[in-house]
Amino acid sequence: MIASLVHRARNFYDRMQWMETFLPGPVAAVSCLLRARHDPAVLTTGRYHDFAFSFRGCDFSALKEVLVDAEYSFLTDAVKSPRSPVILDVGAHIGLFSLWALHINPVAQIMSVEASPGTFRILERNVRQSQKTGWTAINRAAWKNDDTIRFAEVPDSMSHRVSVTGGTEVKGISLAALTGGCGDIDLMKVDIEGAEEAFLCADPAVLAPVKRLVIELHPQLCDTQRVRDVLQKVFPQIAEIQGRTSSKPLLYCRKQGVSP
């Protein structure tokens, strides 16, 4: 019992410390954490460098992963080097990866795609708060076609996913529809909780304009070997990112001659 209390207290203190990164100080961080305990959907507005953004208690793990642990920092040069990179953020959640990319390169042109209607509302709010005209968002589910599909929303907002038993309906969007008319795509980030097989394997040729792809694989939810096989035919350079907290594979794929 005592050990459990100590563990919970330590976790609370650790979370309070990194939460101060986005809030005015320890009092605001503690207040946010306590409110989130009672209502994980309650909104808090914080700051990430020059950006005001909103988040919920159920988004804490995403905050830690993307903005505190800087899981995508290996992409810094890829985002910084083009003058105005074209980025597709597929499975954008509340827009944290997009915020990180805009901090690295304020003139990046970003399309964020998020399926969950509830999460999309926060994403849309963050797009508005950023005041970046080059950042847009759509409420669609990355899928093999543009049909309406069922979507499951679970307590951890990072684990929402396509599911035949899901209680939410959302319109799908295929890779072809998403990339059509974009021209060259400097970077596409994909984190769609198992839908990556349906999204990428339906028409791999559509990946032709994508110079770089970073994708999280979900072995329990789809045939990730099939996804790897498709990616290897399109991207000659593939590296698996090491040292992650998550056990899920994160692949960084590049076309021949494309700099890191």
Side-chain angles (χ1 to χ4, degrees):
M1 178 68 176
I2 294 177
S4 175
L5 289 173
V6 169
H7 178 71
R8 289 169 61 188
R10 183 178 293 120
N11 284 344
F12 186 91
Y13 179 73
D14 289 346
R15 182 168 280 181
M16 181 199 73
Q17 283 194 305
W18 63 254
M19 191 68 73
E20 288 184 62
T21 306
F22 313 108
L23 299 172
V27 174
V30 169
S31 175
C32 173
L33 290 170
L34 293 177
R35 286 186 293 115
R37 277 188 176 181
H38 293 288
D39 181 4
V42 67
L43 273 183
T44 297
T45 297
R47 294 200 70 83
Y48 175 65
H49 296 284
D50 294 332
F51 299 104
F53 75 105
S54 299
F55 58 92
R56 305 158 295 183
C58 57
D59 302 322
F60 286 167
S61 58
L63 280 177
K64 179 72 161 54
E65 182 178 288
V66 180
L67 300 185
V68 178
D69 296 340
E71 180 164 89
Y72 293 102
S73 60
F74 65 93
L75 293 170
T76 297
D77 288 344
V79 174
K80 184 185 294 184
S81 56
R83 190 190 68 80
S84 181
V86 175
I87 299 174
L88 293 182
D89 184 1
V90 185
H93 194 240
I94 63 170
L96 301 178
F97 174 81
S98 298
L99 281 172
W100 173 82
L102 284 167
H103 168 63
I104 299 299
N105 192 332
V107 294
Q109 302 296 305
I110 303 178
M111 167 68 79
S112 295
V113 184
E114 173 55 39
S116 164
T119 299
F120 178 77
R121 285 192 288 272
I122 314 302
L123 168 61
E124 200 172 33
R125 180 187 180 102
N126 288 335
V127 171
R128 289 196 304 270
Q129 290 180 129
S130 77
Q131 299 183 340
K132 290 292 185 181
T133 56
W135 185 14
T136 57
I138 58 172
N139 182 201
R140 303 285 285 273
W143 193 237
K144 60 187 175 182
N145 53 41
D146 299 338
D147 293 348
T148 296
I149 56 178
R150 301 193 71 81
F151 193 77
E153 299 188 272
V154 296
D156 184 346
S157 65
M158 290 185 72
S159 298
H160 296 174
R161 60 180 181 268
V162 173
S163 171
V164 293
T165 60
T168 300
E169 288 191 345
V170 62
K171 190 170 176 58
I173 186 166
S174 67
L175 180 60
L178 187 58
T179 58
C182 287
D184 285 345
I185 298 164
D186 294 290
L187 173 64
M188 182 162 70
K189 167 252 180 187
V190 178
D191 185 359
I192 49 178
E193 301 301 317
E196 57 266 24
E197 180 185 2
F199 181 59
L200 295 175
C201 297
D203 187 4
V206 182
L207 286 168
V210 180
K211 296 179 180 179
R212 303 172 185 87
L213 170 70
V214 59
I215 179 171
E216 183 172 84
L217 301 179
H218 300 79
Q220 305 303 315
L221 300 174
C222 70
D223 184 350
T224 54
Q225 187 56 57
R226 183 184 177 208
V227 176
R228 286 177 183 267
D229 291 344
V230 164
L231 294 178
Q232 286 171 354
K233 293 176 182 177
V234 179
F235 298 95
Q237 303 175 77
I238 299 180
E240 186 163 335
I241 304 303
Q242 304 299 320
R244 303 183 70 216
T245 302
S246 172
S247 61
K248 291 174 285 191
L250 184 68
L251 305 183
Y252 183 31
C253 313
R254 289 180 290 137
K255 294 288 178 61
Q256 193 70 42
V258 172
S259 63

